Each structure stands twice: as C-alpha cells, then as structure tokens.
Amino acid sequence: MSKNRPKPPQVAPPAATGNAGPQFEAKVGAFYLLSLISSGEPRGLPGATIRTVEFQQRGSGRPLDDVIVQATNADGSAAILEIQAKRTLTFTASDKEFRDVVAQMWEAAQKPEFGTTRYELAVAIARTTTRVEHACQEVLHWARQLQDGATLAAHINRVKFSSKGMRDFVEVFRANLAKAGGPTDDETVWRLLRRFQILVSDFESPGSDYEHRARERARLALATDHANRAADLWPVLIDQAGACARAGGARDRPAVVSPLETQYGFHFDQRADLRPVNARLLEAANHALEEIKDQVGGIRLARTELIDQAYAALELHRTLHIVGAPGVGKSWVMKHLAQRLQPEGRVIVLRNGRIIPGGWLPMAHAIGCAVSQDELFNELGCGGGATLFIDNIDQIDEAGDWATVTDLLTGVARNPGWRAIV
C-alpha cells in the first residue's frame, strides 16, 4: 500500500458535533452523490438517472431545500426530487417540524411545473415510531393508487377499512395545510399526498444497514483495484456533501469525481448501463402484479391489519412467508406490499407463467444483463433496498422454474439490501 496515498478527512460522529442534524443531512446527500457517481437509479425516483445533486437551494426557489435531485426519466423528460432531512418526525399535531414541511410542500405545489412534470417531495428521516410510520406510508400508497381525492377521502373515512393512525395522519396533514394558507379540499390533499414520500434512512443505528449499503455502493463505483478503499470513500463523500450544503452548491458527476481522483487518489470504472435492465424488471413486475386481482365486484379490498403485521415482521426478518387458506387474499397482500415498496426501490415479481426457466444465466440473457448476479443485486439493493416477491410459491412445479427461484433467493440471502416475500 502506498505511503503517499491521500488520507480521507476524519468525519466526527454525530454525538461529537453537537447538533446532529447537519451530519444526518450530509449522509443523505452523500448517499445521492454515490448514486450520481455510479449512474444509478436514485432512491425515490425509480427508473430515472441523476444529473445533479444540489444542496440548500432555498434561495433558488426550492422549498424543501436540503437535498435536490435533478434527474432524467427513461423517456428523456425531467424529474425532480426535493428532500427535507429531519432526524425525527412524529407526524402529529404537536410536531412543529412536520407543520413546516407541509407548508413547504404547499409552496412547491404552486409552481407551474408541479402539475406538468415528475416532481416529487420527500422527507428523509433517521427514525420514527414504527406504528406511526406504517400508517403514514399506507396513506401515501393509497394516494398513489387511487384516481382522485374523493375516492381517497372515502377510503380514509371508512372505519375498519382504514386505521385510526391513517385517519389521524390525514387530519393532521389537512390542518397543517390550512395553517399554511392552502385549501383543504379533498382534491388538493390527494394531489399533495400522492407526490409525498417518507424516506427512512437510518444511518445512525449500530450496525446500520444503510451504512452497509453505502459502503457496498462505494465499492461497486470504484475501479476493481481500488474496491478495498470503499470504506475510505464514504466518509469523504459525507464531508463533501456537508461542505457543499454550507455553500449552497450543486454537483454533477464530473464535479464530484474530479476532486476524488486528484485530491484523494480514487479511481473509478466506467459502470455498465443497467437502465435497460431496470426497465425490463419494472415492466415484468408490473405485468405480473396486474394479473393479481385486488377488487371484488368492483370494490377495492383493504386488509390494513394484515399489512401492518407484514411490516412488523419485516422489521425483524428479511424473509416473509405469507400463509393462509385458498381464496383469503394472500396474493393481494403480496401485491399491496410490492406496490407500496416500488417508489423506493426495485422489486422483482415471479409467479406461474412469468418465470424465465433455467436459473440466473438464462434470466440474465433474457433481460439483457451483462454483469454478474451479485453485481446487479448489490447495485439494486444499495439504491434504497430491493425486494423479491414470489406468488404462489407452493404451486411452482417445473424444475427449470425452481432453478430460477433458487438462484434469486440465493442472491437475496447474499445481499443485505434485499428482502424476499413469498
């Protein structure tokens, strides 16, 4: 190892920096800088590619101003993700910070481009009460799935169809919107909620999975002979994100990579373009999910308690097995979980008739993947988490189909950024 290799700056732990808010914000920003370096899919904008990451852009008209991701969709159109970084939020009436976030959302929603482009708003949080977070996430999922404000309001107001936590969240959101001077009609509330995301980024827990994902993505971004420096790259990026935030700056890929190469001696490979692979996986997942019926007689099903139980199980385990008698709605629960997780990260969905037989190699050929399974799974898992869904696993009989299922489940087991739901 060279004695002249530049050393990365020492980044103090949050406890040593007084207010840990800026440290958390810098880690969120560094996570998106990693996506920028690797030309990966940004968390919160599936299917898009990052062009720039900007920081503290309130003066440039970005109400949620901590981290702004400017990206390009697969069709070449623009995509924007504005993020406010808050270490904790309770999403309750007494939560002044959430009140401020809603006011910022209303300000952003009044821009002309909000109604004409892919314009997403988010809070990145380190942690919250799990029960509260699940209720909020469920409301946001419903807002994206339902076609208008009246339908969302009808669903939310049906006792035993929605949970009390969901109703409380919508009530607080509506009250905060009124305090911001915005209208509180059902259509406006729905229009804002369907563009809102809660991105849990728990970088602070001991043995944090998010820290692991960041180091793995750093390893994949570096040239092969520099992959052992991944643990050095991550704190450097945190320092750069913090410095850029203090200056209210913006970075494109050359502006990030150049100082990393010249000042710190990092070397980066030209990464394989995985966007076509992502697009094929997304298309295949959507086709498989469309085959699963979630309505009876035109009425959409809701099993809020089962969904809450599923998420409680996923807090403790990386694999969830949904069991039950025929016809009780196991596949619907799986579909619901898949659709709810799609905005954050990649999902792969397998079911009878939609499995490429023969194992990983035939599947890789079919989806046009030129990298190894481990590299693809690492990349997808590092981008915000990924989940493999297998519907009716007990009905898969063909040996070729089982070879593919086995290879993918093995990939999940080897990559901490993945979960499996069957």
Side-chain angles (χ1 to χ4, degrees):
M1 183 179 296
S2 172
K3 295 181 179 180
N4 297 321
R5 174 180 293 168
K7 295 182 178 180
Q10 296 299 308
V11 180
T17 61
N19 180 3
Q23 178 75 1
F24 174 66
E25 178 188 325
K27 287 186 175 183
V28 173
F31 195 78
Y32 283 96
L33 290 180
L34 269 174
S35 296
L36 180 64
I37 291 172
S38 62
S39 301
E41 189 175 85
R43 186 184 183 195
L45 288 175
T49 304
I50 297 182
R51 292 188 291 109
T52 63
V53 180
E54 305 168 1
F55 300 87
Q56 295 296 328
Q57 295 293 306
R58 180 74 185 183
S60 299
R62 297 294 181 190
L64 286 82
D65 65 338
D66 286 340
V67 180
I68 297 91
V69 176
Q70 300 268 11
T72 304
N73 293 315
D75 62 3
S77 59
I80 300 168
L81 174 63
E82 288 187 13
I83 304 171
Q84 202 71 25
K86 301 288 186 182
R87 293 182 67 239
T88 58
L89 285 177
T90 61
F91 304 100
T92 58
S94 60
D95 188 342
K96 184 181 180 301
E97 290 194 319
F98 182 50
R99 190 185 316 156
D100 293 340
V101 167
V102 175
Q104 292 162 334
M105 291 174 62
W106 171 237
E107 185 179 345
Q110 296 179 75
K111 295 182 177 184
E113 60 265 36
F114 189 80
T116 59
T117 62
R118 186 182 184 186
Y119 200 132
E120 296 284 332
L121 309 172
V123 287
I125 58 175
R127 58 183 178 273
T128 186
T129 304
T130 301
R131 177 186 57 80
V132 172
E133 179 203 326
H134 288 171
C136 300
Q137 297 282 27
E138 190 70 1
V139 170
L140 302 184
H141 170 70
W142 283 16
R144 289 178 182 272
Q145 293 296 312
L146 300 174
Q147 68 270 26
D148 54 46
T151 306
L152 175 63
H155 279 54
I156 293 294
N157 292 331
R158 288 173 59 190
V159 179
K160 295 186 179 179
F161 191 79
S162 67
S163 68
K164 183 180 183 301
M166 295 169 67
R167 294 190 293 275
D168 289 347
F169 173 64
V170 174
E171 182 179 337
V172 170
F173 188 90
R174 196 186 301 269
N176 286 342
L177 188 56
K179 290 173 183 175
T184 59
D185 59 281
D186 293 340
E187 198 69 13
T188 300
V189 170
W190 166 75
R191 190 166 64 97
L192 288 173
L193 288 175
R194 71 197 313 263
R195 299 288 189 91
F196 184 42
Q197 299 185 47
I198 301 170
L199 303 175
V200 180
S201 305
D202 194 0
F203 291 110
E204 301 181 333
S205 297
S208 168
D209 178 46
Y210 286 85
E211 292 276 4
H212 170 81
R213 294 182 196 179
R215 291 190 296 271
E216 275 300 293
R217 191 162 230 184
R219 183 178 66 80
L220 291 169
L222 290 163
T224 303
D225 58 348
H226 277 241
N228 63 339
R229 295 194 62 198
D232 298 336
L233 177 58
W234 175 234
V236 172
L237 285 174
I238 295 172
D239 187 67
Q240 285 200 347
C244 198
R246 291 189 292 273
R251 294 288 184 271
D252 59 11
R253 190 179 187 278
V256 177
V257 169
S258 180
L260 292 175
E261 292 179 333
T262 58
Q263 296 178 33
Y264 299 97
F266 292 111
H267 292 166
F268 298 90
D269 267 341
Q270 183 65 41
R271 300 294 310 284
D273 186 357
L274 296 176
R275 285 175 295 179
V277 177
N278 277 325
R280 291 186 181 98
L281 291 175
L282 175 62
E283 183 179 35
N286 287 338
H287 285 322
L289 293 173
E290 285 168 3
E291 295 177 349
I292 300 173
K293 304 303 180 186
D294 58 359
Q295 296 186 2
V296 176
I299 303 299
R300 184 180 294 272
L301 303 173
R303 293 181 171 88
T304 306
E305 287 188 15
L306 290 176
I307 297 299
D308 287 345
Q309 290 172 17
Y311 269 94
L314 287 172
E315 291 287 331
L316 302 174
H317 309 282
R318 289 177 52 213
T319 302
L320 174 64
H321 185 194
I322 302 170
V323 297
V328 299
K330 300 182 297 296
S331 295
W332 180 89
V333 172
M334 191 203 78
K335 175 178 180 175
H336 187 98
L337 293 170
Q339 290 177 329
R340 187 160 134 180
L341 291 170
Q342 267 186 322
E344 282 198 42
R346 177 62 54 224
V347 303
I348 294 177
V349 183
L350 305 181
R351 65 194 316 261
N352 267 330
R354 292 200 175 274
I355 301 175
I356 299 168
W360 165 249
L361 291 179
M363 180 176 175
H365 178 75
I367 63 176
C369 182
V371 301
S372 69
Q373 182 185 351
D374 275 347
E375 183 171 350
L376 176 66
F377 268 50
N378 264 319
E379 173 60 29
L380 298 182
C382 291
T387 311
L388 171 66
F389 293 87
I390 307 173
D391 188 28
N392 293 322
I393 193 170
D394 56 322
Q395 297 177 21
I396 298 174
D397 298 321
E398 299 294 331
D401 291 353
W402 264 114
T404 302
V405 168
T406 300
D407 285 355
L408 294 184
L409 284 172
T410 301
V412 170
R414 284 202 299 252
N415 292 275
W418 277 80
R419 293 180 290 190
I421 299 176
V422 304

